[in-house]
Amino acid sequence: PEIRIVSFDPEIARQDVAKAAGDFDPTAFSRVNYEDQDSPRNSIFEPGQAETRLFESGVKQKTALGSEWSASYALSRIWDDLVGRTLPTRYEPVVIFELRQPLLRDAGTQVNLAGVNVAKPNYEATLLGFREKAEAVSAAVMTAYWRLVQARRNVQIQVDLVEETNKTLKKVEGRRDIDATDVQAKQAATYAKSREAALLELQKQVVDVQEALVRL
């Protein structure tokens, strides 16, 4: 789960790089405008009613220097009621190319590429962070695994010791009427109990290490 959580960070940072670089992508645009004029006529040389319809479509792009160019095609349909107009309805096509270059503010690659230059190191840092977390978790898993192997081996060794101690205790108790004293019998019993207690502790360690490994 820890690795999966940090695995989202590199993709988010990569999208931030794409977002910063997307400011320099070409953009298509369109514009539609409609104007309707109806005013009292003050002169025969002025139209009283006029109607203008404009449609424009083109492409624009921002460069790393801060300049922006655009190329578009516009078509206007103009109608008016001017007296003496030979063609009351006229069509005016226009091809437009425009270039804007800031001189001081927002000019230069250092300003316009700042977003990209900041996003790229952040992306690399998130990749390194993901790798660090993956290696840390992997190392913790391997450490916990070998601790579990060691703990189980210690339990087996302690089981053997308990069995041997119990055998010794039985031998001492069997020789109590021959040459074994009560002190020796009690010492053997104490050793047996202490090793049984150590066995319980080692078994608990096995459970603890196993749970830690499962959590990882």
Side-chain angles (χ1 to χ4, degrees):
E2 296 179 4
I3 295 178
R4 184 173 182 181
I5 290 174
V6 298
S7 68
F8 293 106
D9 295 338
E11 180 62 22
I12 295 174
R14 190 180 70 85
Q15 295 296 335
D16 290 338
V17 175
K19 179 182 177 181
D23 292 339
F24 305 100
D25 290 341
T27 304
F29 66 92
S30 296
R31 180 169 66 96
V32 177
N33 187 44
Y34 175 77
E35 294 182 5
D36 187 7
Q37 176 185 345
D38 188 359
S39 58
R41 183 181 299 177
N42 296 324
S43 171
I44 60 174
F45 300 104
E46 297 180 358
Q49 294 182 349
E51 183 182 271
T52 302
R53 299 178 182 179
L54 171 66
F55 174 78
E56 182 182 3
S57 181
V59 179
K60 63 181 179 179
Q61 184 179 19
K62 181 181 178 180
T63 67
L65 296 175
S67 59
E68 181 177 302
W69 64 268
S70 64
S72 62
Y73 174 81
L75 179 63
S76 300
R77 179 185 181 275
I78 304 174
W79 172 87
D80 58 45
D81 62 350
L82 184 63
V83 178
R85 178 82 71 183
T86 305
L87 297 175
T89 302
R90 304 175 304 282
Y91 294 91
E92 297 180 359
V94 180
V95 176
I96 305 170
F97 180 79
E98 192 174 68
L99 178 64
R100 298 180 180 181
Q101 174 61 52
L103 298 180
L104 295 177
R105 184 178 179 180
D106 297 335
T109 57
Q110 292 183 349
V111 175
N112 294 279
L113 293 178
V116 178
N117 294 333
V118 171
K120 284 183 176 180
N122 186 35
Y123 171 62
E124 296 175 357
T126 55
L127 281 179
L128 293 176
F130 169 73
R131 179 174 179 177
E132 180 183 6
K133 175 59 70 174
E135 291 178 350
V137 174
S138 300
V141 168
M142 290 186 288
T143 301
Y145 172 78
W146 289 112
R147 284 181 60 197
L148 179 61
V149 172
Q150 180 183 12
R152 288 180 175 177
R153 182 59 179 164
N154 291 338
V155 168
Q156 186 59 44
I157 294 174
Q158 193 66 24
V159 168
D160 296 338
L161 290 175
V162 170
E163 292 178 356
E164 293 296 329
T165 304
N166 290 330
K167 290 179 182 179
T168 303
L169 177 60
K170 290 180 180 179
K171 291 180 181 180
V172 172
E173 290 179 348
R175 298 182 62 86
R176 179 175 293 184
D177 297 334
I178 302 174
D179 56 358
T181 63
D182 292 338
V183 175
Q184 292 175 336
K186 290 182 179 180
Q187 287 179 347
T190 302
Y191 291 151
K193 292 296 182 181
S194 64
R195 287 184 174 175
E196 289 177 359
L199 177 60
L200 293 176
E201 183 65 27
L202 291 176
Q203 289 175 343
K204 180 180 179 299
Q205 290 181 6
V206 170
V207 175
D208 294 340
V209 176
Q210 187 169 342
E211 290 180 353
L213 180 60
V214 171
R215 285 195 298 269
L216 288 172

